[in-house]
Amino acid sequence: MEVMTPYGPARVEIDEAAGPRLLLVLTHGSGGGVDAPDLLAVRDAALRAGATVARVTQPFRLAGRRAPGPAARQDEAWIDVVGGLRARYPGLPLVQGGRSNGARVACRTAGGVGAAAVVALAFPLHPPGRPERSRVAELRGAGVDVLVVNGDRDPFGVPDAADAARLVVLPGEGHEFKKDPARVGEVVAEWLVGRTG
């Protein structure tokens, strides 16, 4: 389905669980899409764990751009999309997340959309080689529990365990989780099941 935002349409692909326990809304990084192997692995594992999963292609990507533009615009569009999904699935607890830039959006908007938790995949702690430009304030500012899954070889850095409800660092993985994306899905599903009982 498409959802119109002030900055163009967003596309939402929904996979519904039977008798879902929560709604998991995921999005991509700056240059990627919702068919990234780790996002598909999270979708599959979350469905098995009883979550309805919505994968959102943000307006800037539908328009063919790799750069998301100003954070405030990106966040405003995201809040519109998630608001539409919450109206479609009333009563389901919302967990939102994404990979890289999408993880940043999920952290920044968690309070605004009433998310119960955030899943941050490959959270880009800083630009490569620029640790002085830390984005840890976005992670700390989520206001809800955040699961962070990062690779130990990620050039964007790895957050500190104190800055998340749970930090899982996967050995041998870089920013794209190319070695074992299924493991990323398992980690997320285990965490979701632990939160919903």
Side-chain angles (χ1 to χ4, degrees):
M1 71 180 210
E2 284 199 350
V3 178
M4 187 54 66
T5 80
Y7 307 104
R11 186 171 55 231
V12 184
E13 298 173 50
I14 300 173
D15 293 277
E16 294 188 343
R21 295 186 295 184
L22 62 91
L23 172 63
L24 176 62
V25 184
L26 299 170
T27 193
H28 49 78
S30 292
V34 295
D35 291 331
D38 57 328
L39 290 179
L40 293 178
V42 169
R43 176 202 62 189
D44 294 346
L47 279 167
R48 289 191 296 271
T52 285
V53 182
R55 291 173 298 134
V56 178
T57 302
Q58 297 178 60
F60 77 92
R61 289 299 291 148
L62 276 188
R65 295 191 303 275
R66 290 180 66 86
R73 287 185 178 187
Q74 191 180 18
D75 294 355
E76 185 180 350
W78 179 257
I79 288 168
D80 280 0
V81 172
V82 174
L85 286 166
R86 293 206 79 180
R88 182 172 173 161
Y89 297 99
L92 280 184
L94 168 69
V95 177
Q96 66 176 14
R99 69 160 356 282
S100 194
N101 175 70
R104 296 178 65 196
V105 174
C107 286
R108 290 194 306 256
T109 61
V113 299
V118 169
V119 173
L121 308 176
F123 185 89
L125 186 61
H126 55 72
R130 303 290 302 273
E132 74 281 1
R133 294 186 56 198
S134 175
R135 300 167 177 143
V136 72
E138 292 178 348
L139 186 55
R140 292 175 181 161
V144 297
D145 285 351
V146 181
L147 166 67
V148 176
V149 185
N150 271 60
D152 67 350
R153 297 182 181 179
D154 193 327
F156 290 84
V158 178
D160 190 87
D163 295 320
R166 180 159 189 233
L167 171 68
V168 177
V169 181
L170 301 178
E173 290 282 11
H175 195 62
E176 304 297 332
F177 297 122
K178 289 182 178 176
K179 290 191 169 210
D180 190 4
R183 180 66 188 131
V184 179
E186 291 166 6
V187 167
V188 173
E190 288 165 9
W191 191 70
L192 292 175
V193 168
R195 298 184 58 78
T196 58

